[in-house]
Amino acid sequence: MRMSEDCVEWLVSDRPVDYGTALAVMDRRAAAVAAGTAAELVWLLEHPPLYTAGTSAKQKDLLVPDRFPVYQAGRGGQYTYHGPGQRIAYVMLDVKRRGGDVRAFVSALEGWLIDTLDVFGVRGETRPDRVGVWVARPERGPGVEDKIAAIGIRLRRWVSLHGLSLNVEPDLEHFSGIVPCGISTYGVTSLADLGRIVSMPEVDMALEAAFVNRFGDITRVASVPELVV
C-alpha cells in the first residue's frame, strides 16, 4: 500500500548515533520513500565527534587527519564537523512531490533554520556565494560573519538524504581540524557562543514548529523499522 503523502514522520534520538548507522538508515528509508512504501522522515540526532567529506572535499582542507574519524558522506559540499552539542536534522523528503525545484528546496531548508534561530533572538542570514546560515558579528568588526548552521543534501530518485546541522553548544575548537565547507575566511559560531544557553529539547521544539510552518504536519515516532538490526 502506498503511504499517505501527508505524513512526515518525526524521530528524535536521545543518544549519539554512529555515522555509519545513520547512513544505512537514510539509504533504506529514502529508497522506501521513493518506492511509495514508507512515509517521509525527519530524524533529529547527535553524532560522536567526526568529520565528513562531501563530494567536493579537498584533501588539503583536512588539516588534522588523525584527530577524529573521517567518513565519505556522499552528499554535496566539502568537509564538515559533527559532534555533541550540534543538532543534526536528516531529511528524507520527496522533493519532486514538493515542487521538484532543488534550489527552492534548499532555500526552504535555509528558511527553516532561520525561523528556528529567530525563536532564540538570533538573526540568521544566507549569502548567494556561500551555502548555510550565517550570523553577522559587528562587535568584532565590519563585515565579520560566522557560520552557525550547515546544509548538505543529496537526491536519489528525487528523495533527499542528509540535511542540516545547527550548532547549539558544540566544542567549536573541534572545527579547527578542517576548513569547514572549504571556507577559511569566516569562522563558526553557536547559540551558546552567542550567549543563548538553551537545551537541546528547546531547540527541537523550535525546529518542529518551524518545520510544520514551512513543510506541513508531522507525526512523532519513537523509532523506525530501519533502525532495527
Side-chain angles (χ1 to χ4, degrees):
M1 175 182 292
R2 189 169 187 85
M3 299 297 295
S4 168
E5 293 184 344
D6 297 323
C7 174
V8 178
E9 293 186 343
W10 187 272
L11 173 66
V12 180
S13 291
D14 57 6
R15 295 181 181 180
V17 177
D18 172 77
Y19 192 72
T21 298
L23 289 180
V25 170
M26 279 192 288
D27 283 345
R28 291 194 290 268
R29 175 53 70 102
V33 172
T37 59
E40 296 173 299
L41 174 67
V42 173
W43 184 14
L44 304 186
L45 54 86
E46 292 175 85
H47 285 307
L50 57 92
Y51 298 129
T52 68
T55 53
S56 302
K58 301 173 182 177
Q59 189 61 33
K60 65 181 179 63
D61 289 341
L62 182 59
L63 305 179
V64 188
D66 299 326
R67 187 172 192 181
F68 297 127
V70 180
Y71 293 88
Q72 298 299 316
R75 54 159 174 78
Q78 303 188 42
Y79 281 106
T80 298
Y81 166 76
H82 293 317
Q86 182 188 71
R87 179 50 95 207
I88 308 294
Y90 288 135
V91 293
M92 287 135 275
L93 299 176
D94 187 338
V95 178
K96 188 172 185 178
R97 181 175 71 81
R98 295 174 179 276
D101 186 329
V102 178
R103 192 179 298 271
F105 179 69
V106 173
S107 179
L109 294 178
E110 292 171 335
W112 176 24
L113 283 164
I114 289 169
D115 293 347
T116 299
L117 290 169
D118 186 61
V119 173
F120 304 107
V122 173
R123 180 178 178 180
E125 301 177 311
T126 59
R127 297 291 178 259
D129 59 336
R130 289 177 261 135
V131 177
V133 177
W134 301 80
V135 175
R137 307 299 300 272
E139 73 279 7
R140 289 168 37 200
V144 177
E145 298 179 336
D146 288 336
K147 192 172 193 176
I148 193 168
I151 295 175
I153 65 166
R154 177 183 181 183
L155 293 186
R156 185 182 299 153
R157 296 175 60 191
W158 283 102
V159 177
S160 62
L161 298 96
H162 303 280
L164 54 88
S165 58
L166 172 60
N167 296 332
V168 180
E169 195 173 4
D171 186 337
L172 295 179
E173 201 279 327
H174 288 178
F175 285 89
S176 67
I178 57 172
V179 178
C181 300
I183 300 174
S184 59
T185 51
Y186 298 92
V188 291
T189 190
S190 66
L191 285 171
D193 183 51
L194 295 171
R196 275 66 169 184
I197 307 302
V198 298
S199 68
M200 200 64 80
E202 289 176 302
V203 171
D204 291 347
M205 289 175 61
L207 282 166
E208 180 181 315
F211 180 90
V212 169
N213 186 55
R214 283 186 174 267
F215 292 91
D217 291 339
I218 58 97
T219 299
R220 299 186 193 95
V221 295
S223 186
V224 293
E226 292 85 357
L227 268 172
V228 178
V229 178

